[in-house]
Every structure is written in structure tokens, then in C-alpha cells.
Amino acid sequence: MAKLEVVRGDITKRAVDAIVNAANTSLLGGGGVDGAIHRAAGPELVAACRELHGCKTADAKATPGFRLPAKWVFHAVGPVWNGGAKGEPEQLANCYRQCLQLAREHEVKSIAFPAISTGIYGYPKGPAAKIAIAVCREMAGGCGVDTVEFCCFDEATAVTYERLLGEA
Ligand code: AR6
């Protein structure tokens, strides 16, 4: 069983094997956590992303971490919240699944996730955290991951994860 933890702060500082980016389909950068990761990783990151030719919603692709402490960045494209009946829950779950599959492929033991889709893309925090936790509980251990960090940038997100993880 993998350990699931809440950490507060900036995901670009996490010294884990892989951090996850909440990207868009272009993979060429943006605001929010995406912008922070590109700034911290350096210009090599956008060059590597360009080679990937984009990514579909609900999927994820890997690049090196370049100047980040993390060895890998898994760029996941979450759904834009559109009321919740347009497949958003399944798409969000699939982002987490794809990242854990990438973790298995790259022999990642520790991974940090941001709260994908809950910023600019507008996904409600509680339902998104439930999905993140459920998928990681189900799959992380089987993918060889020992530690999953839910890296929370704002206090409301941290409290949400802590409450849900405490409910077990
Ligand atoms: N470390 C950890 N979490 C962060 C950081 C950080 N440095 N900065 C923000 N967050 P968002 P989305 C949190 O908007 O909703 C971009 O333009 C933030 O508080 O980054 O998936 C992309 O290019 C929130 O909890 O991602 C896409 O176009 C969470 O990260 C679009 O935004 C996700 O917020 C993706 O939107």
C-alpha cells in the first residue's frame, strides 16, 4: 500500500521522483501550476514539450524535470468543469490513472500531484479531491509507488484533502 500524504506549498520545490503538471492540451505552458513548473524547470522544458505534439484531455505525457529537484514531470490535462455531466469525473480520474501508469513505466517511487483542474479549469475542490484519493488508493501501490504527495497550494485545498484522507 502506498502512503498518501498532504503537503502544503509549491510543487516545484518537491524533491520527489516525479511531479505532476496541470497542463493544457498544447503542453506549451500557461498560468497556475503550469506556469510555475515551466519557470522553475527552465526553457528546456518547453522544448521537450514541443516534441510531444500536445496531449488529449484526460491523458498525460512525461518529460524530464530539467532544473527541478524532481527527475520527471508528468503533464496531465484535466477537464474544464462544465457542470459535471459532460464526463468530467471520468476524465479527471483518468488523468490520475495515466500518471500512475507513467510512474510504473519510469519506476517512480514518489510522486507529487497538484489538485488538477481545480484552479483555472474550475472543478469543485471536494469532488476533485475524492477522485484523486480514490484512484491513488486503488492504483499507486500496484504501480510500484511508495509515496503519493497531494501538494496543496492553498489552505482550503489542504483542509479538504486532510478531511477526506482522515475519513479513510
Ligand atoms: N504548486 C502547487 N499547486 C499550485 C501551484 C504551485 N506552484 N500553483 C497553483 N497551484 P491550475 P487547472 C494549484 O489553475 O485548474 C494553466 O494555464 C492551484 O491553487 O494551475 O488544471 C494550464 O496551462 C490549484 O489548486 O490548473 C491550463 O490552461 C491547482 O494547482 C489550466 O491552467 C490547479 O490549478 C489548467 O487549469
Side-chain angles (χ1 to χ4, degrees), residues 12 37-45 64-71 73:
T12 67
I37 289 173
H38 275 271
R39 279 192 298 277
E44 299 93 333
L45 184 61
F66 299 103
R67 302 179 199 183
L68 292 165
K71 184 171 180 200
V73 181

Side-chain angles (χ1 to χ4, degrees), residues 10-115:
D10 182 357
I11 203 166
T12 67
K13 308 280 195 251
R14 304 308 303 165
V16 287
D17 294 336
I19 64 169
V20 173
N21 185 13
N24 59 58
T25 55
S26 80
L27 297 186
L28 298 179
V33 69
D34 195 7
I37 289 173
H38 275 271
R39 279 192 298 277
E44 299 93 333
L45 184 61
V46 76
C49 284
R50 212 168 272 126
E51 310 271 297
L52 298 175
H53 304 293
C55 181
K56 292 195 181 111
T57 298
D59 203 355
K61 293 187 177 180
T63 65
F66 299 103
R67 302 179 199 183
L68 292 165
K71 184 171 180 200
W72 300 100
V73 181
F74 298 158
H75 305 265
V77 184
V80 176
W81 179 256
N82 211 339
K86 300 259 166 64
E88 298 93 328
E90 192 49 38
Q91 289 176 325
L92 186 63
N94 220 49
C95 285
Y96 286 90
R97 289 191 199 107
Q98 294 302 322
C99 288
L100 292 171
Q101 294 290 2
L102 289 172
R104 186 165 66 174
E105 279 170 38
H106 295 288
E107 299 182 359
V108 158
K109 302 283 173 212
S110 55
I111 184 167
F113 285 96

Side-chain angles (χ1 to χ4, degrees), residues 79-162:
V80 176
W81 179 256
N82 211 339
K86 300 259 166 64
E88 298 93 328
E90 192 49 38
Q91 289 176 325
L92 186 63
N94 220 49
C95 285
Y96 286 90
R97 289 191 199 107
Q98 294 302 322
C99 288
L100 292 171
Q101 294 290 2
L102 289 172
R104 186 165 66 174
E105 279 170 38
H106 295 288
E107 299 182 359
V108 158
K109 302 283 173 212
S110 55
I111 184 167
F113 285 96
I116 300 169
S117 282
T118 67
I120 294 163
Y121 281 180
Y123 206 113
K125 288 179 199 297
K130 273 191 187 162
I131 288 170
I133 291 168
V135 173
C136 290
R137 273 204 180 121
E138 187 186 320
M139 277 186 64
C143 292
V145 172
D146 298 329
T147 307
V148 174
E149 292 185 353
F150 295 112
C151 182
C152 301
F153 201 56
D154 60 279
E155 189 57 22
T157 299
V159 168
T160 301
Y161 272 93
E162 281 168 348

